[in-house]
Amino acid sequence: ISYRDGDDFSVYSQADFLAAFGAIIGAVTIFLSAIAAVSLLVGGIGIMNIMFVSVTERTREIGLRKAIGAKRRDILAQFLIEAVTLSLLGGVIGILLGTGGAMAIGKLVENFSPVVAPGAVAMAVSFSMAVGLFFGLYPAWRASRLNPIEALRYE
């Protein structure tokens, strides 16, 4: 290269490669987080719909329970527990499928040993319960507000 000619080469340091890799990982993380958020929203709406159907199908039972002395909080607690149990069951099934899939990939790929962190499992269980609680709250509230006389006359 002559003194005043332009460079026909580039020099990259390891920090440059790490910065590019970090940017790629950040974009993938945002993309996967968006997919997870949409999945949680869809799952939560599914739980809400199931709980609305449950409240509708059990209107007479709710009326009977209220007629013999059940309080609003008892009905609310019953349906919230059902919603949380439903979402928790789905979360546990998801954790088992994810762990099984990771272990299967670990068997197929050399020099790859997946690790399922207990903190990640605890966070998944917590999120699952929170989704059930959040999306089950409105159907449970509607069930607790039913008038016992109208509920007994239902159907």
Side-chain angles (χ1 to χ4, degrees):
I1 299 176
S2 298
Y3 174 66
R4 297 203 182 246
D5 287 345
D7 294 337
D8 62 351
F9 61 90
S10 300
V11 177
Y12 295 103
S13 69
Q14 196 170 15
D16 295 332
F17 286 116
L18 285 175
F21 186 70
I24 292 169
I25 292 296
V28 169
T29 300
I30 290 171
F31 178 70
L32 291 177
S33 297
I35 290 174
V38 168
S39 298
L40 281 174
L41 181 66
V42 168
I45 291 171
I47 289 170
M48 184 182 284
N49 284 335
I50 289 170
M51 294 309 299
F52 274 131
V53 168
S54 179
V55 168
T56 302
E57 288 180 352
R58 296 164 59 190
T59 300
R60 289 183 57 90
E61 173 193 334
I62 296 166
L64 184 61
R65 288 192 65 208
K66 289 183 98 174
I68 61 172
K71 295 181 174 52
R72 284 185 182 162
R73 70 169 184 251
D74 298 329
I75 305 294
L76 184 75
Q78 174 188 350
F79 282 96
L80 281 179
I81 289 170
E82 287 181 22
V84 169
T85 302
L86 183 66
S87 66
L88 188 60
L89 183 64
V92 168
I93 290 171
I95 290 167
L96 292 176
L97 286 175
T99 302
M103 295 301 168
I105 291 172
K107 297 277 187 200
L108 297 174
V109 178
E110 286 184 35
N111 299 326
F112 179 72
S113 57
V115 176
V116 179
V121 172
M123 186 174 72
V125 168
S126 299
F127 260 74
S128 178
M129 290 173 60
V131 166
L133 187 64
F134 180 76
F135 285 98
L137 193 60
Y138 184 63
W141 179 80
R142 290 250 326 242
S144 71
R145 303 290 296 179
L146 284 175
N147 183 346
I149 296 170
E150 291 177 14
L152 286 171
R153 289 183 185 163
Y154 186 74
E155 286 186 50

